Amino acid sequence: MNQFSTLDTLVFLFYFIVITGYGIWIYRRKKSTSGQASHDYFLAEGSLTWWAIGASLIASNISAEQFIGMSGSGFKIGMAIAVYELMAAATLIIVAVFFMPVYLKNRIYTMPQFLEQRYGKAVATTMALFWLGLYVVVNLTSILYLGALAISSVAGINVFACMIFLAVFAAVITLGGMKVIGYTDVIQVLCLVVGGLVTTWIALDLVAALGGKSGSMAGASELFVRAGEHFDMVLDRGNPNYMDLPGLTTLIGGMWIVNLNYWGCNQYITQRALGADLKTARKGLLFAAFLKLLMPVIVVLPGIAAFALDKSGMLGDSMRVGGELNPDRAYPTLLAMLPAGIKGIAFAALTAAVVASLAGKANSIATIFTLDIYKQHFNKTATEQKQVWVGRLTVVVSIAAAALIAPFLGIDKKGGFAFIQEYTGFVSPGILAMFLLGFFWKKTTHAAAMFATIGGLVLSIILKFLPGMMDLSFLAPIGFAVDNGTGVYEIPFLDRMFIVFWVVVAGMVLISKTAAVSGEAKRMIVDTHMFRVEKSFAVGSAVICALLIAVYGAWW
């Protein structure tokens, strides 16, 4: 394995200087043209272009859990795990058409603000506190710790030192506000895509060498021969990974709940578009959807290549720790095999992904705390400058807190991608149901929203532990329960979300129809004209849908 060379260090330093310098330049250039200080800091109101919005969405979404976790899943499961990325492309189109018009028409800047306008302060405050806890304890910690682990494994630097470096780097970018994050994310995405594609190309070239050939295209052909079973896009019930990706549920069931909640009801994501006009926001989301189609090549294909290389014995014991196979070592192992200079580019791509995600998440934490907690409950007359100051303090405190608690959560043992999905999955169905009915059904009440908030969580927990209390084997014939290997039948994670979502929707409808209407519940401004799209957007959306159909048609 090649060590981190002087050339790699110089390449990485060049990336670091470019990002830092560009961020400072953007901050100074935009400062003189700022509108309201708080809205400019938290939302970059009106100053982000469509390409900056799209790039920032992807930079914020792709982090260590994708590079490390998705590559690990590619090694273990195969291309089927790419459904998270491919369905996200379709979801972004839906969010652009149906969610963004509602947010922008009603001048929504934070997700708790929407809940307050629609359902009242009790629901909004409850969810604001929940999101803050989730973002700090689950998201920030996993991004920071997994990123540090990945960088440590490549550069040979102490994990804690890597965490400090990432935390400080992200904090500096975040303190400049949303406009600095948005525009530096363009360079971050460029590094991410170029570095990721270079890693994939070299991994495929290594696979080609197994058959006495060279080149990425020859490597792709060789990979189909050596790991053909890893290209099944929809797993059948006999597949050992069915519990993670339960067949058609990935296309018509719970996966939609995962994606619609993440891309449509998540401050961390929607914040990039909330400061723009509808036309610009939609173009940005469409651009992000096209970039999403590249992600399986960047984060999943290297894992499948590592599987073929390991199967041939070329990786030796690199994939094993203490003699036990660890799929999450797939991407770091490939990075360690890259030649000098190229490794620096790939290292910069990984760092870019981590820092961009940290910065975006920290800015969302600051936005929710400042606008929905501090201003609403502690200082309603806070000046614009005071709000910005509180936001910056929140950034520092949240990142510092995440760095302190991350090593004690056992994130590396659980697997970062699974860590995030498990804990957010307990509440995603209730949140999505609350948003969708709040958008499109005017009779939804405050009590129904509270039921979605609490009832959805409780029901998710019950279904999680139900296999220990009763035999669920009767659900196996229809694919809603799988033997976990010990004779206990469990409901797959995505199926649990699907069940909880529809139970919560039914409960909300029943409560709204029978309970007294609260004065706090108000309609959103919604009309059919809001959902009309431009011809160029429709054409772009059609292209994405056609590509998705082609992929699943070819590798079903």
Side-chain angles (χ1 to χ4, degrees):
M1 300 291 177
N2 298 312
Q3 299 299 313
F4 209 67
S5 68
T6 302
L7 181 58
D8 294 320
T9 302
L10 291 174
V11 170
F12 178 76
L13 286 176
F14 176 74
Y15 149 78
F16 180 80
I17 292 169
V18 168
I19 287 292
T20 305
Y22 185 60
I24 293 171
W25 180 73
I26 286 291
Y27 178 74
R28 290 179 174 175
R29 181 170 174 262
K30 295 285 183 180
K31 192 173 181 180
S32 61
T33 59
S34 296
Q36 282 186 287
S38 63
H39 280 186
D40 188 64
Y41 177 78
F42 295 117
L43 298 166
E45 192 166 29
S47 64
L48 290 184
T49 59
W50 62 266
W51 44 269
I53 291 171
S56 189
L57 282 167
I58 298 303
S60 298
N61 167 243
I62 301 297
S63 187
E65 71 269 18
Q66 266 78 22
F67 272 104
I68 307 304
M70 293 286 277
S71 290
S73 294
F75 183 100
K76 177 187 175 186
I77 301 172
M79 192 56 74
I81 195 66
V83 67
Y84 280 97
E85 307 299 320
L86 298 175
M87 294 302 287
T91 304
L92 280 163
I93 295 172
I94 293 173
V95 171
V97 175
F98 296 106
F99 285 54
M100 275 302 140
V102 178
Y103 289 142
L104 296 178
K105 182 71 172 180
N106 292 275
R107 298 188 63 79
I108 301 297
Y109 298 116
T110 71
M111 298 300 96
Q113 181 198 345
F114 162 76
L115 295 177
E116 180 176 354
Q117 287 185 204
R118 183 61 179 85
Y119 297 119
K121 281 192 175 182
V123 173
T125 302
T126 300
M127 289 308 302
L129 292 172
F130 161 75
W131 272 314
L132 288 174
L134 182 72
Y135 287 171
V136 174
V137 177
V138 176
N139 296 105
L140 269 187
T141 54
S142 60
I143 294 169
L144 186 59
Y145 193 63
L146 285 174
L149 279 176
I151 289 172
S152 174
S153 68
V154 176
I157 305 171
N158 177 270
V159 173
F160 188 73
C162 290
M163 286 179 62
I164 297 301
F165 165 71
L166 291 172
V168 172
F169 193 1
V172 169
I173 291 176
T174 313
L175 291 174
M178 191 64 230
K179 60 191 172 188
V180 173
I181 295 170
Y183 281 105
T184 54
D185 276 352
V186 176
I187 299 179
Q188 306 275 40
V189 162
L190 183 62
C191 290
L192 187 158
V193 171
V194 172
L197 288 176
V198 167
T199 303
T200 301
W201 175 71
I202 291 179
L204 290 175
D205 191 52
L206 290 172
V207 173
L210 298 177
K213 305 170 188 174
S214 63
S216 59
M217 295 306 294
S221 299
E222 189 70 20
L223 194 58
F224 279 113
V225 174
R226 292 177 175 267
E229 71 282 3
H230 270 52
F231 287 90
D232 292 335
M233 298 297 293
V234 180
L235 306 183
D236 58 40
R237 295 178 196 173
N239 192 294
N241 299 297
Y242 186 84
M243 179 67 76
D244 297 313
L245 296 170
L248 286 175
T249 293
T250 59
L251 298 181
I252 59 175
M255 187 60 71
W256 283 106
I257 296 166
V258 172
N259 275 303
L260 285 171
N261 174 72
Y262 181 85
W263 295 101
C265 312
N266 187 348
Q267 180 72 30
Y268 174 45
I269 295 299
T270 56
Q271 186 165 340
R272 274 111 189 95
L274 293 179
D277 60 84
L278 182 57
K279 181 180 178 181
T280 303
R282 278 179 167 165
K283 283 184 177 180
L285 289 167
L286 185 64
F287 179 47
F290 275 105
L291 289 176
K292 262 295 173 187
L293 297 179
L294 270 179
M295 292 304 113
V297 177
I298 293 172
V299 299
V300 180
L301 203 55
I304 303 176
F307 171 80
L309 293 171
D310 183 67
K311 189 177 177 181
S312 72
M314 187 173 178
L315 300 184
D317 293 328
S318 299
M319 292 297 300
R320 289 156 184 82
V321 179
E324 184 178 350
L325 181 67
N326 181 1
D328 281 350
R329 290 188 58 81
Y331 204 82
T333 297
L334 289 177
L335 289 185
M337 298 176 71
L338 298 180
I342 300 297
K343 186 187 293 183
I345 295 173
F347 185 66
L350 184 59
T351 304
V354 176
V355 170
S357 289
L358 282 173
K361 185 66 73 178
N363 185 263
S364 294
I365 291 167
T367 302
I368 290 177
F369 179 80
T370 304
L371 301 184
D372 297 302
I373 301 296
Y374 175 76
K375 189 177 180 183
Q376 292 294 323
H377 299 281
F378 295 100
N379 190 354
K380 294 185 177 181
T381 59
T383 63
E384 297 289 320
Q385 289 73 23
K386 180 71 172 179
Q387 291 176 58
V388 172
W389 183 86
V390 170
R392 286 175 172 155
L393 180 62
T394 304
V395 167
V396 174
V397 171
S398 62
I399 291 180
L404 288 174
I405 65 176
F408 305 102
L409 297 179
I411 299 170
D412 55 325
K413 296 179 180 65
K414 185 181 292 286
F417 195 71
F419 179 82
I420 292 176
Q421 294 302 323
E422 179 177 350
Y423 288 100
T424 57
F426 280 112
V427 293
S428 298
I431 292 174
L432 180 61
M434 182 166 44
F435 271 73
L436 288 179
L437 268 66
F439 285 161
F440 304 117
W441 193 44
K442 64 181 181 181
K443 295 181 180 180
T444 312
T445 64
H446 165 267
M450 287 301 290
F451 167 75
T453 302
I454 301 170
L457 174 61
V458 171
L459 184 57
S460 293
I461 293 173
I462 290 173
L463 290 182
K464 168 70 174 177
F465 295 102
L466 190 61
M469 296 181 279
M470 65 178 291
D471 181 12
L472 299 178
S473 60
F474 67 94
L475 294 174
I478 57 174
F480 275 93
V482 181
D483 188 340
N484 65 7
T486 63
V488 176
Y489 282 81
E490 295 184 9
I491 303 173
F493 161 72
L494 291 172
D495 288 335
R496 286 206 314 265
M497 294 182 66
F498 186 71
I499 294 168
V500 171
F501 174 77
W502 287 110
V503 171
V504 168
V505 168
M508 291 182 71
V509 171
L510 183 63
I511 292 170
S512 297
K513 284 185 172 292
T514 57
V517 177
S518 168
E520 288 190 283
K522 303 172 184 176
R523 291 187 61 178
M524 291 288 100
I525 300 173
V526 178
D527 63 72
T528 55
H529 297 290
M530 296 162 54
F531 307 125
R532 294 177 179 173
V533 299
E534 293 186 330
K535 184 177 180 181
S536 58
F537 180 90
V539 171
S541 300
V543 170
I544 288 173
C545 292
L547 289 172
L548 291 175
I549 292 171
V551 168
Y552 276 93
W555 293 316
W556 182 274

